[in-house]
Amino acid sequence: MTNPLLETWDTPFGLPPFDRIADGDFAPAMEAALEEGRAAIAAIAENPEPASFANTVAALELADALLDRVAGVFYNLAGSTSNPVREGLQREFAPKLSAYSSEITNNAALFARIDDLWQRRDQLELTEEEERVLYLTHRSFARSGAALEGAARARLTEVKARLAVLGTEFTQNLLADERDWTMPLSEADLEGLPGFVIDAARAAGQEKGHEGPVVTLSRSLIVPFLQFSPRRDLRERAWRAWTARGRNGGATDNRAIAAEILTLREERARLLGYESFAAYKLETEMAGNPQAVRDLLMRVWEPARAQAMADAERLEAMLHEDGINGALEPWDWRYYSEKRRAAEHDLNEAELKPYFRLEAMIEAAFDCANRLFGLEFRPLDVALYHPDARAWEVTRKGAHVAVFIGDYFARGSKRSGAWCSAMRSQKKLGGDVRPIVVNVCNFAKGDPALLSYDDARTLFHEFGHALHQMLSDVTHGSISGTSVARDFVELPSQLYEHWLEVPEVLDRHARHAETGAPMPPALRDRLLAARTYDMGFQTVEYVASALVDLDFHDGPAPADPMAAEAETLARLGMPRAIGMRHATPHFAHVFAGDGYSSGYYSYMWSEVMDADAFDAFEEAGGPFDAETAARLEQFILSAGGSREADQLYTAFRGRMPGVEALLKGRGLDKAA
C-alpha cells in the first residue's frame, strides 16, 4: 500500500489528500523525508565542484522539500486536531528533527562551502535577494554552532535535542490540562448569564459528552463567564482553574520543565559566546538587545499601571456597593469592569454580540483585502482535516494567489489560542509555488456563531498574518511570508486589526444576526469611543508577562522560575487584582519552543509601528487609499525577509516611528 504523504498530490491546488492520510502514514513518511534530506545535504557538502550560490545555498533551500511537506501537514494537524497517537508522534519526532538539524549545521564540509561563499560574496555577482539569503544562511549556521568543535559542539547538539523534547512535553501537558477540566453548571448556575454564554456552555457540554452546560478552559467561554456570572464562588473556581494550567502537580505539571528549559537556554547561549540567552536571541531582532526591550516596556508600564490602579479603586468600590467586604480579586475584575462599561459607555456585550456573526466577520476580512489588494475569495469543496475547517481559493484578476483555510471553533483536541501557519509557503525557486495558509482560532460554537468584539479583532489579526503569507513574492522559501524578525512579524497582523475599527466596515458588515439590520450609528460610535476602555488592565497583564519573560532570559537562569516570576511582579508593583496574561506554567509562547522566548515583547514593539502605519492611510485620505495599500504590499506584505525589518518599514513610511503613537492608541498618553 502506498503512503499518500509520499505521493505526488494530484489534488486541487496540490492540497494534502486529507481523506486518505492516516496517522500510521506519518512515521514512515517522516523517516523517508529525513533520509531524502540527508542524501541531498550529503550531495551538496560532497560536491567536487567549487562552491557556487546555485550548487550550495540554492540547493540547500530545496534539500528539505519532502520534509517540509510532511512536517507541514503533521504539525498543523497535531496543533488543531490532536489525539494520543499524534501526541506520541510529536514526542518521537522532536529529538529526531533536532538531531537532523544539528547534523546539517555540524556538517563541516557544508559550512566550509557556505563560509567560502560568504568570504567571496563581493565577487559572486549575486542579486540583492541572493546576497540577503547568503547572509542569513551563514548567520544561521554560525548561530547554530557550526564553528564550534569537539565537546562544545557535541554538548550544544545535546542541549538542542533536549530543548526540543521539553518544548513538546510542555505543550502536551498544557493541552491535557485544558482538555480535561470542566465545571458543570446547573440551571440555577446559569442565572444572570446572557443567552450567548448559556448557548456556548451548552455547546461545550455537548462537545465534552455532558448532559448539561459546562464551563471549559477555552478562552472564548471562560472569559465571558467571568464577565457575566454573578456567582462569585463560581467565578473564583473558574479563574483558579484557568490560571492553574500547568501547575496542578502530577504528570502534567510544567514547573520543572520550565526550569530545565531556562537552564539549557542559558547554557546554549554561553556555548555560543553570549552572556545571556536574551543577548543571543535579541541580536537578530529589531530591538537588538535586552536594554532596548526593557526601555520600551517600562515606558509603557508606568502609565498603564497608574491607569490600572485608578480603575481598581473604582471596581473595588462597586464590589463594596454589592455588600461584599474585602479586596477586589482577579476573579472580580472582568465582572465589575463589564458592569462599569455598561454604565459609563452604555455598552453591553450581550447587545453587541449579535452584530458580530462569525460569517459576517470572515466576509468583512475578505472585503477589506479585496478593497486594499484586489484579492477575491471563492469557497472550495475539498477534503479537509476536520469538518469545522473550510477553504477558499484566493485570486487576483483571475490569477491564483493562494489557498486559505479557516478553522475557527474551539474543541478539546485543539491547543488554545489563535495562530496562522502555512502548510506550504510561497517561493519561486524550483517552480512557482503558491501558499496554503491556515488560520486557527478557538471561538465558541453557536447557531449562529457570535463573536465578541475582541474575538472579531482576533479574526482580523490572524488574517493579517495570512495576508503576509498569501501576498509573499520572493524567490527563496527561507525568506518567504512571515520569515522575518520576531518583533516585526506582528506588524501586518496588528495593523490589519485597525480595519475592523473603520466605521464604514462596521456599517457594511456588523449586521444583526436575527434581523439583518446594520449596527445603529449611535451604538457603533459608543463602541469605537470605548475601544481604549480597560486598557490599563489589558496593558498591565501583557507587559507583566513580557517583563517576566525578559527577566527569565536576561541573566543567569533562575533555579525556581515561580519564585523569579514573583520577584519580578513584586518589583513592578503588580496590582493584586490583575494576573499575568500568561503565567509561567502555561506560558506556551515562551516555553513551547524558542519562537517568542525573550520575545513576548514583540507584540508591543510591532504596535509602535502598526499605529504609525495606519496613520499613513489616514494621512493619505482614508483607510482604503490605493497608493498607500500598494506601498504596504510592496515593501512589507510581499517582501518577506528580503531586507532588514527597519529598512522595509522605512521604505514604506519614510521613517521609523516613536512610542507616542502606541501610548495614544491605548489611551495611555495622558495617564499619570
Side-chain angles (χ1 to χ4, degrees):
M1 187 179 222
T2 58
N3 188 323
L5 288 164
L6 301 177
E7 298 174 357
T8 299
W9 293 343
D10 186 18
T11 53
F13 310 106
L15 282 164
F18 293 110
D19 54 342
R20 297 176 51 226
I21 296 172
D23 285 346
D25 296 324
F26 285 115
M30 188 67 77
E31 289 299 328
L34 290 171
E35 182 178 347
E36 181 176 300
R38 287 188 175 97
I41 296 299
I44 297 168
E46 298 165 11
N47 189 340
E49 297 293 325
S52 68
F53 184 88
N55 70 20
T56 302
V57 177
L60 191 60
E61 290 267 326
L62 299 173
D64 287 336
L66 180 58
L67 181 59
D68 290 342
R69 185 170 70 161
V70 173
V73 175
F74 174 75
Y75 284 102
N76 273 278
L77 269 59
S80 59
T81 53
S82 183
N83 61 38
V85 173
R86 291 172 187 172
E87 290 176 12
L89 289 171
Q90 281 183 286
R91 294 190 294 271
E92 177 186 334
F93 292 163
K96 289 183 178 181
L97 290 171
S98 177
Y100 175 73
S101 176
S102 292
E103 286 175 30
I104 295 173
T105 54
N106 290 346
N107 189 315
L110 178 60
F111 183 58
R113 293 177 71 87
I114 294 169
D115 190 55
D116 172 54
L117 291 171
W118 176 245
Q119 301 304 327
R120 295 188 291 113
R121 60 191 180 278
D122 294 337
Q123 307 160 29
L124 299 178
E125 298 183 353
L126 302 177
T127 67
E128 184 177 351
E129 182 175 320
E130 288 172 340
E131 288 180 1
R132 175 70 173 167
V133 171
L134 173 58
Y135 163 72
L136 293 174
T137 302
H138 187 268
R139 185 181 73 178
S140 175
F141 270 69
R143 285 172 52 82
S144 296
L148 295 181
E149 297 179 351
R153 170 181 285 190
R155 178 55 186 161
L156 183 61
T157 298
E158 293 174 358
V159 166
K160 289 192 288 187
R162 181 61 179 160
L163 284 169
V165 170
L166 292 171
T168 299
E169 290 180 0
F170 188 98
T171 302
Q172 293 186 353
N173 289 345
L174 180 55
L175 177 61
D177 278 4
E178 292 170 344
R179 181 178 55 217
D180 294 344
W181 186 89
T182 59
M183 183 173 72
L185 300 175
S186 68
E187 292 302 313
D189 296 336
L190 301 177
E191 185 176 347
L193 295 176
F196 74 87
V197 180
I198 295 173
D199 291 345
R202 292 194 191 282
Q206 186 175 22
E207 196 261 339
K208 293 289 187 181
H210 288 259
E211 292 185 1
V214 302
V215 175
T216 69
L217 297 182
S218 170
R219 187 179 184 89
S220 61
L221 178 52
I222 199 167
V223 167
F225 182 81
L226 292 170
Q227 284 177 303
F228 290 103
S229 176
R231 289 280 302 277
R232 195 181 192 220
D233 59 328
L234 296 181
R235 295 200 311 267
E236 179 180 359
R237 183 179 167 195
W239 187 88
R240 288 191 182 280
W242 194 30
T243 55
R245 292 168 294 157
R247 61 175 179 87
N248 288 306
T252 63
D253 198 294
N254 275 332
R255 286 171 287 189
I257 292 175
E260 187 177 355
I261 286 174
L262 293 174
T263 298
L264 290 174
R265 284 178 179 163
E266 181 193 2
E267 183 179 2
R268 177 183 178 183
R270 293 192 182 281
L271 283 167
L272 292 168
Y274 295 86
E275 63 181 16
S276 69
F277 184 80
Y280 162 75
K281 186 68 184 297
L282 296 173
E283 180 185 49
T284 60
E285 308 298 337
M286 293 185 75
N289 60 77
Q291 190 58 49
V293 173
R294 196 175 301 279
D295 289 346
L296 170 67
L297 293 176
M298 292 308 299
R299 175 87 182 270
V300 178
W301 172 261
E302 295 299 342
R305 182 182 180 278
Q307 183 64 59
M309 296 297 286
D311 291 340
E313 290 185 14
R314 179 70 186 96
L315 299 182
E316 188 166 274
M318 295 171 67
L319 175 79
H320 295 164
E321 289 167 8
D322 277 353
I324 302 172
N325 296 322
L328 183 77
E329 299 290 353
W331 48 89
D332 297 319
W333 190 292
R334 287 177 173 84
Y335 178 71
Y336 286 101
S337 181
E338 181 64 27
K339 293 179 71 171
R340 181 186 177 193
R341 184 173 76 147
E344 295 184 1
H345 294 279
D346 194 19
L347 283 177
N348 184 297
E349 191 72 31
E351 179 187 13
L352 286 171
K353 266 217 168 188
Y355 292 100
F356 291 98
R357 190 168 52 92
L358 172 61
E359 300 300 325
M361 292 302 99
I362 294 171
E363 180 57 36
F366 288 175
D367 182 41
C368 291
N370 175 261
R371 297 177 68 183
L372 288 164
F373 310 113
L375 299 179
E376 297 180 331
F377 299 82
R378 177 179 68 87
L380 293 174
D381 183 12
V382 293
L384 295 172
Y385 58 87
H386 192 277
D388 286 344
R390 65 192 75 178
W392 293 263
E393 182 193 8
V394 187
T395 60
R396 180 156 54 183
K397 296 180 180 178
H400 177 73
V401 173
V403 171
F404 174 68
I405 298 173
D407 182 359
Y408 296 107
F409 295 124
R411 54 180 174 266
S413 62
K414 183 188 288 186
R415 64 180 171 89
S416 61
W419 63 92
C420 176
S421 60
M423 288 194 182
R424 185 175 70 214
S425 296
Q426 179 271 331
K427 64 180 179 181
K428 297 176 184 174
L429 189 68
D432 186 10
V433 177
R434 302 310 308 166
I436 300 172
V437 185
V438 188
N439 273 179
V440 183
C441 300
N442 271 282
F443 302 141
K445 268 191 174 180
D447 187 19
L450 303 179
L451 307 184
S452 66
Y453 188 57
D454 186 58
D455 286 338
R457 289 177 67 95
T458 296
L459 188 148
F460 268 68
H461 178 102
E462 299 306 332
F463 194 73
H465 282 308
L467 288 172
H468 203 178
Q469 294 276 17
M470 293 189 288
L471 293 174
S472 178
D473 186 22
V474 297
T475 298
H476 300 84
S478 62
I479 58 168
S480 174
T482 56
S483 298
V484 298
R486 181 64 62 176
D487 49 12
F488 190 66
V489 76
E490 298 297 338
L491 170 60
S493 55
Q494 292 179 181
L495 174 59
Y496 205 65
E497 293 179 32
H498 287 269
W499 274 273
L500 180 61
E501 300 177 345
V502 173
E504 65 182 281
V505 173
L506 291 171
D507 291 346
R508 180 181 294 194
H509 297 285
R511 294 180 172 270
H512 198 279
E514 294 180 3
T515 68
M519 182 182 290
L523 178 60
R524 178 204 67 202
D525 293 345
R526 294 199 305 275
L527 172 66
L528 294 177
R531 58 190 156 191
T532 61
Y533 174 73
D534 214 20
M535 195 56 73
F537 169 87
Q538 294 179 42
T539 306
V540 161
E541 65 165 5
Y542 165 78
V543 175
S545 295
L547 284 166
V548 167
D549 167 41
L550 184 64
D551 283 356
F552 276 162
H553 297 98
D554 187 19
D560 182 350
M562 299 304 295
E565 173 189 293
E567 289 171 8
T568 294
L569 298 181
R571 186 185 75 246
L572 292 171
M574 183 75 169
R576 60 164 285 135
I578 302 179
M580 291 169 60
R581 183 171 298 179
H582 304 289
T584 298
H586 56 259
F587 206 163
H589 280 80
V590 170
F591 292 107
D594 276 354
Y596 283 90
S597 56
S598 295
Y600 191 61
Y601 77 93
S602 300
Y603 293 92
M604 188 148 284
W605 192 276
S606 293
E607 190 176 338
V608 172
M609 291 177 284
D610 80 63
D612 179 68
F614 194 71
D615 282 348
F617 282 88
E618 300 292 1
E619 293 166 10
F624 293 100
D625 180 73
E627 184 178 332
T628 308
R631 288 205 322 276
L632 178 66
E633 179 177 352
Q634 177 184 356
F635 295 118
I636 294 177
L637 296 178
S638 73
S642 59
R643 295 164 67 184
E644 292 291 341
D646 58 346
Q647 295 175 6
L648 293 172
Y649 189 84
T650 301
F652 163 68
R653 191 67 166 109
R655 54 167 173 74
M656 290 298 293
V659 73
E660 293 75 20
L662 178 151
L663 293 172
K664 180 180 179 181
R666 285 183 171 249
L668 299 173
D669 51 326
K670 298 179 177 62

